[in-house]
Amino acid sequence: MPLARSLSMTSLNGLPQWEDEDLPVQDLLLFEVSWEVTNKVGGIYTVIQTKARTTADEWGENYFLVGPYFEHNVKTQVEACEPPNPAVKKAMDTMKSQGCQVFFGRWLIEGSPYVLLFDIGSAACNLDRWKGEFWDVSNIGIPFHDREANDAVIFGSLTAWFLKELSCQFDDKPNIIAHFHEWQAGVGLILSRSQKLPVATIFTTHATLLGRYLCAASIDFYNNLDQFDIDKEAGERQIYHRYCMERASVHCAHVFTTVSQITAIEAEHMLKRNPDVVTPNGLNIKKFSAVHEFQNLHSMYKARIQEFIRGHFYGHLDFSLEKTLFFFIAGRYEFSNKGADMFLEALSRLNFLLRVHKTDVTVVVFFIMPAKTNNFNVETLKGQAVRKQLWDTAQSVKEKFGKKLYNALLKGEIPDLNKILDRDDITIMKRAIFSTQRHCLPPVTTHNMIDDGNDPILNTIRRIGLFNNRTDRVKVILHPEFLSSTSPLLPLDYEEFVRGCHLGVFPSYYEPWGYTPAECTVMGIPSVTTNLSGFGCFMQEHVADPAAYGIYIVDRRFRSPDESCNQLTQFLYGFCQQSRRQRIIQRNRTERLSDLLDWRYLGRYYMHARHLALSRTFPDKFEMEPSAPLKTEGFRYPRPSSVPPSPSVSQHSSPHHSEGEDEDEDERYDEDEEAKRDRQNIKSPFSLGVLPQGKKKQHGEYRN
């Protein structure tokens, strides 16, 4: 529901000014509890790490993160210090006196938040007793062989114990807010509520347990959300106890939140509760002092990727690198959930289109998805060695040539170019050329896969025949390892690699949020996402024409698999048709959306959730009208006034369009003027964050 008030401008490039939630932060303590505090396991680590600075700025020394103690993490990430709050110190001392190891310090990330870490091993002797107490409270039994669930019981019991020791020291204030992330932290919430502690609780699910399992099994998930026998499905996958822990946490929390509208619909059916607030994930946006600096970074890192391509395709480098586009997909190796299956099929169709139309554009596609490997592929290493040898040869000949030319010019002579290179130089160059001869195709993977016969990506490549032949306009490279600047093959960090690419492609089937396309956006790199990802749904709500801003959204919910694949193919083919000028314009527009993903903007959803939790826990102290709309309204970027380089709206009828069309667009495009209009022409606000009640499956949804 929109608020009946006008919008005012802020420093965030035209984002609406939001009313403060007016929380008396000085009289509150905020604890954020997660298994991934200082402990990187998945995407929740990124959420907590990137949000810490904004939250620490808001709450100061009243903000604490609670997580498990792992020595190898603490040694490199945490600086030990004394708790600034005497009540926190007293609660820790009480626990220590009874044999539990508790560590306190500052997490060495942006914002330097305080962290409170519990040593799970030191309290493991209490496991059986705590499992019994948890059974008495919830009737949830934890099997002895599930170590992760047992650790969750210990961690949750320690968290509830600490909150009890802390809260009993306070009479009236400060009031305590405890925000729990995911089921591993949920035991602490359940025990806190069962003990009736005066603590306002929030629970956030970033992805439902059962949803992830069902989608990994290639089940028609979104088309059958209201058809599943939840208990049966969880039991068959031997996660019934985990599911019960998650569901109990959801129903015990004063406020339940999730990270996207698509996950909210999923939670309604899987966990049987509608989220109170949707809290989208954000990033820390670092703005450049120079407007076009990110374009310069793109050129610099693109040149580094081109160097790798020169080595990888030596002997088959019969395509122009200036007319080569770099696409990539990255993330966990979940072949179907991450959309790698559809991406490969679309690449096969794209290869056909580019060959039929005899285009001079070549597409090199990287799959950055970690898998089990033995070591680097010998042929790949050889390619980089050959490239370096050719470079050294060229530099040696160039130096000799330069000296002879320099001496001739000093004498006032024009050198005889036929004599300036002697026989030895010609011989060296011929040997260099012969060394580039290759009797096999460039490899499709950079590493030796441990089980390449059963690898789904490699098997699909074999089926569709994308073997990096000379006639292929689409080349494929599987890099089954995280990127690193110390790699002998592709010495780039992930951020540098992304900046050097032209397009990120993430056609996910199951993606509660999707940090990979969000990271592309803040770096000014266009990306492909889907309407089954939280990021894709968020952009559809906030941007009038996402494709014009470099956010291509594939419809995987209301179209059949083949139709979705065709749509993805058209997006890719349309992108290949763009001129260099059009791609520059589009990158400018993409980077302009980065403010939408800034925690300074999205952090307000968390503020609203905290206020709501306090009003439900302490209604005498904190008020919030039950029917009041969120004070976190959104807006929509309008469609750019100039012709967007979007295949959906500016695709040419033939693959060979005239240069005049590009020139005409250049005349119409004024970046500063367009950016100014984007900041001012904000459409009427609407509420983002509350899930529409009773949202059901729509007719025509497909599993794909």
Side-chain angles (χ1 to χ4, degrees), residues 64 102 128 278 391 502 581 604 607:
F64 305 87
V102 187
D128 289 339
V278 170
W391 174 258
H502 296 90
R581 173 65 176 168
R604 301 295 177 130
M607 290 176 61

Side-chain angles (χ1 to χ4, degrees), residues 536-567:
C537 295
F538 181 80
M539 283 300 173
Q540 279 184 321
E541 289 181 296
H542 278 72
V543 183
D545 184 4
Y549 288 90
I551 310 294
Y552 301 103
I553 301 174
V554 177
D555 185 357
R556 294 202 64 175
R557 190 174 180 195
F558 302 110
R559 295 193 183 194
S560 69
D562 189 61
E563 290 173 333
S564 298
C565 189
N566 281 335
Q567 185 185 25

Side-chain angles (χ1 to χ4, degrees), residues 591-616:
E591 196 271 343
R592 207 175 303 143
L593 295 181
S594 61
D595 284 324
L596 276 175
L597 304 171
D598 197 327
W599 274 122
R600 290 182 297 163
Y601 175 69
L602 298 179
R604 301 295 177 130
Y605 292 95
Y606 280 84
M607 290 176 61
H608 181 84
R610 294 168 197 143
H611 196 169
L612 185 59
L614 287 168
S615 68
R616 291 179 177 178

Side-chain angles (χ1 to χ4, degrees), residues 135-201:
W135 167 264
D136 293 337
V137 166
S138 63
N139 286 338
I140 299 174
I142 310 299
F144 72 92
H145 58 76
D146 189 344
R147 179 172 179 176
E148 193 172 357
N150 286 319
D151 285 348
V153 171
I154 299 173
F155 179 53
S157 299
L158 289 169
T159 303
W161 182 8
F162 171 79
L163 291 174
K164 181 180 179 180
E165 295 292 339
L166 182 68
S167 60
C168 70
Q169 301 179 53
F170 305 135
D171 292 327
D172 182 49
K173 59 184 181 181
N175 296 118
I176 300 171
I177 306 172
H179 190 153
F180 299 83
H181 292 267
E182 283 296 312
W183 69 274
Q184 293 100 324
V187 174
L189 189 156
I190 298 167
L191 294 174
S192 297
R193 291 305 308 277
S194 69
Q195 297 170 19
K196 298 183 179 180
L197 300 182
V199 176
T201 58

Side-chain angles (χ1 to χ4, degrees), residues 280-291:
N281 292 337
L283 289 163
N284 283 330
I285 309 302
K286 298 177 181 177
K287 286 295 181 183
F288 296 108
S289 55
V291 177

Side-chain angles (χ1 to χ4, degrees), residues 310-526:
R310 289 186 176 98
H312 192 81
F313 288 92
Y314 82 92
H316 289 256
L317 199 64
D318 52 357
F319 52 91
S320 170
L321 286 177
E322 295 304 315
K323 296 182 179 179
T324 298
L325 302 178
F326 301 132
F327 297 174
F328 80 98
I329 182 173
R332 285 191 302 271
Y333 200 138
E334 297 178 7
F335 184 63
S336 296
N337 280 0
K338 296 299 181 184
D341 51 352
M342 179 169 288
F343 187 26
L344 282 165
E345 182 60 39
L347 290 176
S348 177
R349 301 179 187 188
L350 175 65
N351 187 47
F352 173 78
L353 288 175
L354 295 177
R355 290 173 64 178
V356 164
H357 292 297
K358 294 181 170 51
T359 178
D360 57 357
V361 173
T362 301
V363 176
V364 176
V365 184
F366 293 88
F367 285 76
I368 312 296
M369 306 182 86
K372 293 182 179 179
T373 63
N374 285 326
N375 211 325
F376 294 112
N377 186 304
V378 172
E379 189 64 26
T380 306
L381 288 171
K382 179 183 176 183
Q384 299 308 313
V386 169
R387 177 193 63 78
K388 187 176 185 305
Q389 181 186 13
L390 287 175
W391 174 258
D392 292 342
T393 299
Q395 293 300 307
S396 173
V397 173
K398 183 178 77 170
E399 186 175 345
K400 290 176 65 176
F401 180 93
K403 287 181 179 178
K404 292 179 180 179
L405 178 62
Y406 174 64
N407 289 329
L409 293 176
L410 283 176
K411 297 176 182 178
E413 301 173 356
I414 299 295
D416 184 351
L417 296 180
N418 293 321
K419 296 180 180 178
I420 203 166
L421 290 177
D422 57 31
R423 182 176 297 178
D424 289 342
D425 296 329
I426 301 296
T427 301
I428 290 173
M429 289 190 290
K430 285 182 178 180
R431 289 181 62 182
I433 292 173
F434 289 161
S435 71
T436 64
Q437 293 180 359
R438 198 176 206 167
H439 303 293
C440 62
L441 295 174
V444 296
T445 178
T446 58
H447 291 62
N448 295 321
M449 306 291 286
I450 285 180
D451 190 14
D452 69 344
N454 294 313
D455 185 82
I457 290 180
L458 293 180
N459 281 339
T460 305
I461 289 173
R462 294 180 185 112
R463 178 177 61 81
I464 62 180
L466 282 181
F467 296 122
N468 296 337
N469 286 298
R470 291 183 183 274
T471 55
D472 288 331
R473 296 273 53 83
V474 174
K475 319 285 186 180
V476 177
I477 300 174
L478 170 61
H479 189 282
E481 195 177 68
F482 285 120
L483 294 168
S484 170
S485 58
T486 60
S487 169
L489 289 183
L490 189 55
L492 290 171
D493 288 329
Y494 178 73
E495 179 180 337
E496 297 169 341
F497 173 79
V498 171
R499 288 192 183 278
C501 288
H502 296 90
L503 182 70
V505 186
F506 314 101
S508 303
Y509 181 76
Y510 187 78
E511 192 71 80
W513 176 247
Y515 260 121
T516 41
E519 288 165 341
C520 286
T521 301
V522 302
M523 288 186 258
I525 302 301

